[in-house]
Amino acid sequence: MTESVRVAIGSDIDIVRARQQVRTLAKEVGFTSSELTLIVTALSELARNIVEYARSGEIILDQICQGTRRGLSITARDGGPGIADIDLAMRDGYSSGKGLGLGLPGTKRLMDDFEITSEVGHGTQVKVTKWTH
C-alpha cells in the first residue's frame, strides 16, 4: 500500500498533476475505469475550489483498507477565506463565485463518504472517500 501522496495546489498545472496522481493510485486500488473517472472528477472539483477560492492549498491522497474493503481518500485542505454557511454551499446551484454551484454537492454525489469542515478566515478541509464495490 502506498503512503500518502501530497500535491501542493496553486495553479491549473497542479490540478493536472493531482489528477495524474489520483488516477495512478486509484488503478492500484483496483477501481474500474468508470469509477476512476468519478474519482478524478471529484478531485478536479476539490482542487479547482482551492485555486478559485483560496489560491493555494494541498491535496492529500491515501489508499485505505477497512477490513476487506479497499478505498481511496482525497483530502483537500486550504487556508483560504473559509465557508460561512456550509449548508448553503452544499445546495445545488449556489455559488459564491462564478461557478454553477455544482462542485461540492456534485462531489458528494460522486463519492461514498464526504466530510467538510470550514472556519471563516482560517480555511476549509474536505475529505472524500471512494470504496471499491
Side-chain angles (χ1 to χ4, degrees), residues 23-75:
R23 185 177 298 276
T24 299
L25 292 178
K27 282 181 183 176
E28 288 178 10
V29 171
F31 286 104
T32 65
S33 61
S34 59
E35 291 169 327
L36 210 143
T37 299
L38 300 178
I39 293 166
V40 171
T41 300
L43 177 133
S44 295
E45 293 291 344
L46 296 173
R48 173 67 50 208
N49 280 349
I50 290 173
V51 171
E52 289 194 16
Y53 296 103
R55 298 187 187 266
S56 65
E58 67 177 349
I59 295 283
I60 304 162
L61 307 171
D62 289 292
Q63 294 177 344
I64 52 177
C65 278
Q66 194 173 69
T68 58
R69 295 192 324 167
R70 295 189 73 202
L72 182 73
S73 74
I74 302 168
T75 303

Side-chain angles (χ1 to χ4, degrees), residues 90-111:
M90 293 304 297
R91 287 190 197 155
D92 282 330
Y94 173 79
S95 176
S96 62
K98 299 174 185 171
L100 298 174
L102 299 173
L104 285 175
T107 298
K108 184 176 181 180
R109 286 190 291 271
L110 294 174
M111 303 298 278

Side-chain angles (χ1 to χ4, degrees), residues 117-130:
T117 56
S118 187
E119 186 176 349
V120 173
H122 296 283
T124 300
Q125 177 172 298
V126 181
K127 182 176 181 180
V128 296
T129 303
K130 188 75 170 173

